[in-house]
Every structure is written in structure tokens, then in C-alpha cells.
């Protein structure tokens, strides 16, 4: 006998994500989910970004990490409150789930936070599928990865609201076709803003920071 | 990569979907719909499902996976098509304002339960 079920497998996660979204809306907190493959420069780029946001935009950070690295310490240097979470709570080490964010967010006084940045686990596959209750998702790609990354991970580039192409300071030393990379991103997600930056030299940071500030302010009006 | 977690959710939802009056009946199959854009790898999900379901209320069930193609509709010209390459703009008018109409599913559609032999049925 066939019994109809018709439920999303990720129902539980989606429900908690909606609760998070409501909580963050009540507290006027803009939530940014930052994803990338390992080592593309999320922590470096976020450190530099937060430096340009604070104190105007009060920022807090949740860092997801598979093992203990010093990402949290590095980001705490910006003066922003930082919480590091382990990611083995949902049957794997590959992404942050909504309940992990709910728990981690308890560590902050959200009334004192305008922007909550979540540095997701370095992985271009799984985080794309897990809603955490964020307002925007971005993906960081570095020029040391293949130009065809967007074509290999279409869901990630589809779901993101902006893409950051990092480490452009290395371009002179590489045989990397930046235009092809951007073309591939836009092919997957027409119209997506792509910010070409170097987190190290801080080249190109300004347009990205302006985009983020605008997003945060949109939520506050 | 998170197939184990997905498998756990599938088993939990499937077990919870057994109607009260059929509790104890054998669940023969669990039917999933997985969109091609989803990152779940069917083979590893089946592998994890077998491990996770072994000691559950749906022990012995087979996992059936239907893969759903990625389809889209153009907001400008209403064209509807199947996307089979990494191109997400309208092949008819070139517009980029498209909505994905399928391909991101990760749904349990149904479960198949063995009918209880007549003699086993409780009287109401
Ligand atoms: N040349 C260059 N190196 C960079 C840049 N941004 C980051 N790096 C280097 O890339 C390495 C990884 O940077 P992280 O910021 O730790 O990258 P991540 O994405 O946070 O890494 P995980 O959290 O481990 O996934 C470090 O050695 C950084 O110094 C950049 O713009 N240019
Ligand atoms: Mg990091
Ligand atoms: Zn069209």
C-alpha cells in the first residue's frame, strides 16, 4: 500500500531557519552567510571587511570550522564579538545547519548587533543547500582555483546574491583567465554582482563594502 | 557529502509517516525525489540509508530515488525548457530573468507499506 508523504527532507532545518529569520528580523540584524571552498580567503577578507564596517555597523561573527584553527582568534582582533562552532552536530562536518546558528546566536546581545556574519565551512557543495535564516548569501572564489569552478558547483552560484573573486594580487603570477571565471559565474547566475578583490592588498575592497553596507541599511529602514 | 545526515532525516520522516493502524507493518520502499541541482549523490545516499535504516522502524526498506531534471521558465517570454548544461538564461529570448521550476527537490514522496494479512487486523 502506498502512503503519500510529500515532505521536504530538510523540513526540520527549514523550519528552524525560518525561526532564525524571524528572530533576526525582530532584532533588526542583517545576516550574511559567507561560503567558499577551503582557503579561498574568507577569514582574511572578513577581517578586512569588518575593519571598514566598524564601528558604524556593529558586527558579530560566527565561524564554522571542522577542526580547531585560529579563524576565531584572527577575527576577534577586529573587536567584533566572535563565536566559533564545531560542525559535527548534523551527521557531518560539511556545513552549518540552522540549529547550530540558533544556538551560536545565543552568545550575542542581538540588540547590539546590526550585522551578523557567518563564515560557513569551506565547501562549495553542502552549505548551498542549508538555509540558516540569512538575508544574503555570498560565495568567495580565489584566482588560485579553476576558472570552471562555477560550472562545477552551479547550485552554489545560483543561490548566492553576490560573488567575491579574491586574491587578484596573484594574477600576474598565474595563468588564470579572470574574464573566463567571471563569464562562468554570470552564465550560472546572470546579473549577480562580482567583486574582484585582494584581501591582502585591499585592492577592490571598496565596492564590495559599499554593497554590503547598502544591504544592511536596506534592512534597517 | 552530508548524505549521512540526509539519510537520518529520511529514515526519521519515513518512520513517522507510518499510519497509526499500520504500526508494525513492514515498510518495503521509500520514494525520494532528488533534483539534479541538489548536491546529494544517490549512490552514497543509498549506502547511508541502508546503514541508518537497519535498526529502525523501516528496517528492510529499499530506497527508490527519482532524479528530477532542472527546468526553468522565462519571465519575459514564458518559454519553459529543460536546462541540461550550465547555462541559466532563456534560449529563446536571451533574458536572464528566469525562475527554476524544478531541479532543487529533496523530497520524500511516499512510502510503500506491506498490507497486513487479514488475520492480523485489529477489530475497532
Ligand atoms: N595572495 C593572497 N593571499 C590571500 C588573500 N586572501 C587570503 N590569502 C591567503 O590564503 C590563505 C587562506 O586564507 P583564509 O583567509 O584563511 O581562507 P579561508 O577561506 O578563511 O580558509 P578556511 O576557513 O580554512 O576555509 C592564507 O594563507 C591567506 O593569507 C589574497 O587576497 N591574496
Ligand atoms: Mg577561515
Ligand atoms: Zn525568454
Amino acid at each position: 500500500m502506498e502512503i503519500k508523504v510529500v515532505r521536504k527532507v530538510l523540513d526540520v532545518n527549514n523550519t528552524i531557519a525560518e525561526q532564525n529569520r524571524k528572530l533576526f528580523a525582530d532584532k533588526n540584524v542583517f545576516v550574511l552567510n559567507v561560503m567558499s571552498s577551503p582557503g579561498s580567503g574568507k577569514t582574511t577578507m572578513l577581517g578586512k571587511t569588518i575593519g571598514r564596517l566598524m564601528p558604524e555597523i556593529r558586527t558579530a561573527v560566527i565561524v564554522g570550522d571542522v577542526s580547531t584553527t585560529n579563524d576565531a582568534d584572527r577575527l576577534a582582533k577586529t573587536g567584533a564579538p566572535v563565536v566559533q562552532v564545531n560542525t559535527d552536530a548534523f551527521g557531518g562536518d560539511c556545513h552549518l545547519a540552522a540549529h547550530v546558528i540558533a544556538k551560536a546566536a545565543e552568545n550575542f546581545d542581538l540588540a547590539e548587533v546590526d550585522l551578523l556574519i557567518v563564515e560557513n565551512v569551506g565547501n562549495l557543495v553542502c552549505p548551498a543547500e542549508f538555509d540558516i535564516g540569512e538575508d544574503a548569501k555570498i560565495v568567495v572564489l580565489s584566482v588560485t582555483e579553476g576558472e570552471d569552478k562555477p560550472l562545477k558547483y552551479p547550485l552554489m552560484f545560483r543561490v548566492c546574491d553576490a560573488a567575491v573573486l579574491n586574491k587578484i594580487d596573484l594574477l600576474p603570477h598565474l595563468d588564470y583567465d579572470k574574464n573566463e571565471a567571471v563569464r562562468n559565474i554570470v552564465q550560472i547566475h546572470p546579473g549577480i554582482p562580482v567583486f574582484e578583490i585582494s584581501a591582502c592588498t585591499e585592492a577592490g575592497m571598496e565596492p564590495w563594502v559599499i554593497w554590503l553596507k547598502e544591504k544592511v541599511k536596506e534592512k534597517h529602514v | 557529502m552530508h548524505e549521512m545526515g540526509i539519510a537520518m532525516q529520511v529514515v526519521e520522516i519515513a518512520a513517522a509517516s507510518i499510519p497509526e493502524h499500520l504500526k508494525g507493518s513492514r515498510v518495503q520502499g521509500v520514494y525520494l525525489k532528488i533534483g539534479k541541482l541538489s548536491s546529494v549523490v544517490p549512490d552514497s545516499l543509498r549506502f547511508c540509508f541502508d546503514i541508518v535504516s537497519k535498526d529502525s522502524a523501516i528496517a528492510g526498506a529499499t530506497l527508490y530515488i527519482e532524479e528530477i531534471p532542472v527546468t526553468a521558465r522565462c519571465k519575459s517570454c514564458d518559454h519553459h525548457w529543460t536546462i541540461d548544461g550550465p547555462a541559466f538564461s532563456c534560449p529563446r529570448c536571451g533574458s536572464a530573468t528566469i525562475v527554476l521550476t524544478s531541479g532543487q527537490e529533496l523530497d520524500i514522496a511516499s512510502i510503500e507499506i506491506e498490507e497486513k494479512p487479514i488475520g492480523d487486523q485489529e477489530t475497532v
Side-chain angles (χ1 to χ4, degrees):
Chain A
M1 179 180 21
E2 188 200 7
I3 310 273
K4 289 251 175 281
V5 180
V6 199
R7 269 186 64 188
K8 295 199 182 309
V9 176
L10 299 181
D11 250 5
V12 176
N13 186 72
N14 293 344
T15 305
I16 300 171
E18 275 317 310
Q19 288 165 4
N20 288 354
R21 195 162 277 121
K22 185 162 182 319
L23 170 73
F24 296 138
D26 286 348
K27 303 281 182 186
N28 255 312
V29 179
F30 184 91
V31 181
L32 179 73
N33 185 359
V34 181
M35 299 174 283
S36 84
S37 39
S40 65
K42 296 181 293 301
T43 306
T44 311
M45 177 264 218
L46 289 174
K48 296 288 174 68
T49 302
I50 295 167
R52 288 165 184 248
L53 294 173
M54 301 247 282
E56 184 194 347
I57 293 177
R58 298 165 300 171
T59 307
V61 189
I62 296 173
V63 189
D65 239 312
V66 260
S67 56
T68 48
T69 65
N70 45 18
D71 282 7
D73 300 339
R74 285 163 64 197
L75 289 171
K77 292 209 177 85
T78 62
V82 181
V83 171
Q84 170 144 3
V85 292
N86 298 319
T87 51
D88 46 14
F90 189 73
D93 289 333
C94 54
H95 62 273
L96 290 178
H99 71 272
V100 177
I101 298 302
K103 190 102 193 65
E106 288 172 3
N107 290 290
F108 303 118
D109 178 4
L110 292 178
E112 300 296 319
V113 175
D114 304 312
L115 168 65
L116 175 60
I117 296 177
V118 177
E119 180 182 330
N120 217 311
V121 182
N123 176 346
L124 283 175
V125 183
C126 313
E129 216 142 27
F130 285 80
D131 187 1
I132 56 172
E134 70 277 72
D135 296 285
K137 299 178 200 272
I138 65 157
V139 54
V140 181
L141 196 66
S142 65
V143 299
T144 52
E145 305 167 55
E147 294 94 338
D148 57 353
K149 271 268 167 85
L151 306 182
K152 289 182 179 159
Y153 304 94
L155 183 63
M156 176 59 79
F157 289 84
R158 251 335 270 187
V159 299
C160 279
D161 301 287
V164 172
L165 187 58
N166 188 30
K167 307 194 187 179
I168 55 168
D169 58 291
L170 296 176
L171 282 173
H173 314 286
L174 299 170
D175 185 18
Y176 183 86
D177 189 342
K178 176 166 69 73
N179 293 335
E180 189 193 333
V182 174
R183 243 191 339 268
N184 288 339
I185 295 171
V186 174
Q187 190 182 341
I188 297 296
H189 193 154
I192 188 176
V194 181
F195 300 103
E196 300 172 14
I197 71 158
S198 164
C200 281
T201 69
E202 300 193 35
M205 285 290 285
E206 206 49 30
W208 145 247
V209 172
I210 289 170
W211 180 87
L212 181 56
K213 279 187 182 174
E214 286 297 315
K215 287 275 173 190
V216 175
K217 282 177 188 150
E218 271 170 35
K219 184 157 181 177
H220 281 250
V221 291
Chain B
M1 281 169 100
H2 49 265
E3 276 78 6
M4 193 49 97
I6 300 284
M8 286 156 70
Q9 295 290 310
V10 169
V11 169
E12 203 174 307
I13 294 173
S17 306
I18 305 171
E20 201 53 46
H21 68 285
L22 289 175
K23 286 259 147 65
S25 309
R26 198 171 87 82
V27 174
Q28 294 159 308
V30 176
Y31 291 81
L32 281 194
K33 288 184 199 257
I34 299 188
K36 287 227 162 112
L37 258 191
S38 141
S39 57
V40 174
V41 180
D43 276 343
S44 20
L45 182 56
R46 272 191 212 96
F47 177 79
C48 295
F49 177 85
D50 289 344
I51 296 171
V52 179
S53 60
K54 214 173 355 194
D55 300 310
S56 75
I58 65 163
T62 306
L63 186 66
Y64 297 97
I65 298 174
E66 180 189 354
E67 290 192 72
I68 310 291
V70 185
T71 60
R73 192 173 52 74
C74 174
K75 280 192 177 170
S76 305
C77 76
D78 219 34
H79 183 52
H80 196 262
W81 76 102
T82 301
I83 298 180
D84 44 19
F88 290 79
S89 50
C90 176
R92 188 152 89 188
C93 74
S95 165
T97 48
I98 66 167
V99 277
L100 294 185
T101 43
S102 74
Q104 284 178 275
E105 296 77 1
L106 189 48
D107 302 337
I108 300 194
S110 62
I111 58 175
E112 182 72 29
I113 300 187
E114 196 171 56
E115 309 272 357
K116 272 192 180 175
I118 307 285
D120 272 12
Q121 248 155 31
E122 296 144 54
T123 41
V124 191

